[in-house]
Amino acid sequence: MSDSHIKKILHPDRQELKEKLGSIVPPKVQILLEGMDDLDFFEHNLQSDIPNFRFIPATLENSTNFDNKSYVISAVEADPTMFGIVDMDYDFESEQVSSTENLIDTGECCCLLSWVMKDQGKGLIEVAEKFVKFLFKDYGQTSQINAYIRTKSEQFEGFVNESTKIRLFRGHYGSSSPRLTARLATSELEEIELKERGDLNPATQHLLDRLIPKGKIRKEFEKYKSDKEAELEMTGPNDHDFTRAVFLLIRSIPEVEGKSLSQINKCFCRFQSRKLGNREENQNSAKELFKKSDSFLEKLPISYQT
């Protein structure tokens, strides 16, 4: 290479342009994630410490049959230079990620939320109250909602836990099965009548009747809960069922400002990344997840391997 060519490459204007536009050289480690919530969590808490990692969300445009998890798994299996992190969901034996060391799931926990909660030792009601404080800026409304979360904690936890079990069973059973009813639309959630403030028991029953019809499928669901009791005890809450519970509880209190499920989900994304735990706690939770695979560990700085 000539001296003049080297000078052109190292010219200050060229270096400044590269910094603004980013290098065209692919990063050393590319990690596929299921969605934007996962992306925000890992980017916000880790990106500055491990700049050689690039976190990439699967999107509905490039996933298969609108299933981001399947897309991540198939993409990583097809490219040995790629890595992937997915939710465990109902795959208690982690069979779906067993084909390559470059794939990891959230272990015995059903999703990233439940993994982080377990790793940080946080309970469902504690997290719910913390989220409401993040969701509402008005102290009066926050206090009123959290009072119902505490006094109706059994019903709140019951809704989240049963909804998560329903979700996992439907995934295990095959949500595309003609014998299963379609997923619950947001409009249906809005139509559930809650007569008592903070009491989500009617909503829990509505979801059960709507998504697990009485008869053979209901019996199979009860058997699934019995056979997988130990595993289901460990899965923790699903993030979608958690935000649904918050949405329904807020709707049951007429005096407080209403929030759409879309608003709650968007706010939850930032909450999970920034307020569920502090930065150090979230980094440690991510480190523990990475430790599930030697392939991940060997790409990380030494400080992340201990």
Side-chain angles (χ1 to χ4, degrees), residues 41-42 45-46 50 55 85 104 112 115-116 119-120 279-292 296-297 300 304:
F41 179 84
F42 287 106
N45 292 292
L46 300 178
I50 47 176
F55 298 101
I85 301 173
I104 57 175
L112 182 60
W115 171 273
V116 175
D119 184 69
Q120 297 179 10
R279 188 178 181 83
E280 183 179 357
E281 288 176 322
N282 289 342
Q283 286 181 337
N284 287 335
S285 295
K287 289 178 187 179
E288 290 303 311
L289 191 57
F290 290 156
K291 288 178 182 178
K292 289 172 59 62
F296 273 78
L297 278 179
L300 290 164
Y304 272 67

Side-chain angles (χ1 to χ4, degrees), residues 53-256:
F53 274 52
R54 182 188 177 199
F55 298 101
I56 309 167
T59 64
L60 295 181
E61 285 74 21
N62 62 20
S63 59
T64 55
N65 297 321
F66 301 101
D67 182 352
N68 289 0
K69 181 176 182 178
S70 295
Y71 171 76
V72 171
I73 292 172
S74 61
V76 173
E77 288 176 336
D79 185 347
T81 68
M82 297 289 291
F83 293 78
I85 301 173
V86 296
D87 292 341
M88 181 275 287
D89 295 321
Y90 56 88
D91 182 24
F92 300 124
E93 304 300 325
S94 295
E95 293 177 353
Q96 294 174 321
V97 296
S98 62
S99 58
T100 169
E101 275 279 303
N102 289 7
L103 281 168
I104 57 175
D105 66 12
T106 50
E108 69 273 15
C109 304
C110 67
C111 64
L112 182 60
L113 169 65
S114 48
W115 171 273
V116 175
M117 285 177 58
K118 179 177 181 292
D119 184 69
Q120 297 179 10
K122 291 181 168 65
L124 183 59
I125 299 304
E126 173 191 356
V127 171
E129 289 189 57
K130 201 171 184 179
F131 177 54
V132 168
K133 290 179 181 178
F134 186 75
L135 183 62
F136 287 88
K137 305 307 178 188
D138 182 271
Y139 175 79
Q141 294 193 81
T142 297
S143 298
Q144 189 172 8
I145 296 167
N146 280 342
Y148 282 110
I149 288 177
R150 288 190 297 272
T151 58
K152 301 289 185 179
S153 60
E154 185 176 339
Q155 291 91 329
F156 187 90
E157 290 180 327
F159 176 89
V160 176
N161 292 338
E162 190 71 359
S163 297
T164 297
K165 291 173 184 176
I166 290 172
R167 185 181 298 273
L168 301 187
F169 170 75
R170 283 171 63 90
H172 162 78
Y173 192 80
S175 58
S176 61
S177 169
R179 293 198 295 165
L180 285 177
T181 54
R183 294 178 179 179
L184 197 74
T186 301
S187 57
E188 292 183 69
L189 280 177
E190 295 170 349
E191 294 171 0
I192 296 176
E193 186 177 358
L194 299 172
K195 296 181 178 179
E196 184 179 343
R197 289 174 172 81
D199 184 2
L200 299 188
N201 283 344
T204 305
Q205 189 61 48
H206 179 92
L207 258 64
L208 183 63
D209 293 338
R210 167 68 171 75
L211 298 173
I212 310 292
K214 291 180 179 179
K216 184 179 179 181
I217 295 178
R218 180 72 65 86
K219 291 178 181 177
E220 291 184 28
F221 176 57
E222 296 302 330
K223 184 177 186 302
Y224 174 78
K225 290 197 293 182
S226 176
D227 292 345
K228 301 293 184 181
E229 182 178 4
E231 292 89 341
L232 291 170
E233 191 70 28
M234 298 292 291
T235 59
N238 176 273
D239 52 339
H240 299 292
D241 297 307
F242 172 78
T243 55
R244 281 181 173 185
V246 173
F247 167 72
L248 288 167
L249 186 132
I250 291 171
R251 281 192 66 248
S252 76
I253 309 172
E255 307 89 76
V256 303

